[in-house]
Amino acid sequence: MKNSFYRTPLTILYSYCPLEICGLYATIFHLKDYNLPIYITSPDKKSNANFISYSDYPPNEILSQVSNKKRLSNARKRDICDTWRQLLEENRNLRLWKSNTLVSAPDDYFDSDIQNVLQCKANSDMLLSIQSRLRSEYHISLNSKYIEWRLKYISKQINTNSRGGNLK
């Protein structure tokens, strides 16, 4: 493996959406014991602010966006490994890129945003509406299963509240 990576170094494509940044951190963590050249690159927000992930680009355009790759220093690799180790120990369901750092967040972190959409819209495109709001507000994309899980929780809380309980 080591010889292969020295001939063709690893380049990791990522964005600041939680799945991709976590993938970047996890990959670097798993390769920590190998002294391999690793390059990283993310979509250039200046060229198109609507694209937050390489998955937003058509396949034939991805290679044209890879021109801004940078080699990770050993110090940066250690920082990433330390952060990932801490996140693994915290073992939370949600991770965010916040203030240029990957952090854990409580499950209810986006609940107020989801509730705002619920109050404004009651239609079949609820999931899409919530994704759009989070994408425009935070410039991220979240897994639809996470949003569905939070919707069920919030709906249950609203039903409890309408029967006389208290909504957080």
Side-chain angles (χ1 to χ4, degrees):
M1 179 178 81
K2 195 172 187 177
N3 289 336
S4 175
F5 279 127
Y6 276 110
R7 282 192 303 275
T8 308
L10 177 64
T11 299
I12 301 174
L13 310 177
Y14 76 98
S15 70
Y16 296 108
C17 75
L19 289 175
E20 290 180 25
I21 197 81
C22 286
L24 165 73
Y25 276 54
T27 300
I28 291 169
F29 182 80
H30 289 294
L31 295 174
K32 69 184 178 298
D33 295 331
Y34 302 96
N35 185 20
L36 302 172
I38 298 176
Y39 293 83
I40 59 171
T41 183
S42 61
D44 182 7
K45 290 182 195 172
K46 295 174 194 160
S47 67
N48 193 334
N50 294 325
F51 291 158
I52 63 169
S53 166
Y54 278 109
S55 64
D56 291 337
Y57 288 93
N60 60 336
E61 290 184 26
I62 291 174
L63 285 177
S64 67
Q65 294 296 318
V66 180
S67 60
N68 65 343
K69 66 182 184 177
K70 298 174 185 125
R71 185 171 177 165
L72 280 180
S73 68
N74 287 334
R76 183 67 183 124
K77 288 179 191 177
R78 278 191 303 276
D79 290 344
I80 287 172
C81 288
D82 291 345
T83 299
W84 191 249
R85 188 175 292 107
Q86 178 183 345
L87 292 169
L88 291 175
E89 288 171 5
E90 292 171 1
N91 197 27
R92 285 190 165 171
N93 290 320
L94 188 59
R95 296 188 178 117
L96 306 169
W97 184 253
K98 195 172 176 181
S99 303
N100 291 323
T101 305
L102 188 60
V103 297
S104 291
D107 290 339
D108 62 357
Y109 187 85
F110 293 107
D111 284 6
S112 62
D113 294 286
I114 294 170
Q115 286 175 335
N116 287 338
V117 172
L118 283 172
Q119 291 171 358
C120 297
K121 292 187 174 210
N123 59 40
S124 60
D125 292 332
M126 187 60 61
L127 191 60
L128 182 60
S129 298
I130 292 168
Q131 278 283 24
S132 296
R133 177 181 175 103
L134 296 176
R135 190 177 180 108
S136 65
E137 181 75 21
Y138 299 98
H139 208 63
I140 62 165
S141 179
L142 287 178
N143 184 299
S144 60
K145 295 294 181 192
Y146 168 82
I147 295 172
E148 289 170 359
W149 174 62
R150 295 314 299 166
L151 274 169
K152 286 178 186 174
Y153 175 82
I154 291 168
S155 296
K156 184 178 175 185
Q157 294 293 59
I158 289 171
N159 289 336
T160 300
N161 189 41
S162 65
R163 289 187 300 242
N166 291 325
L167 180 63
K168 285 185 186 178

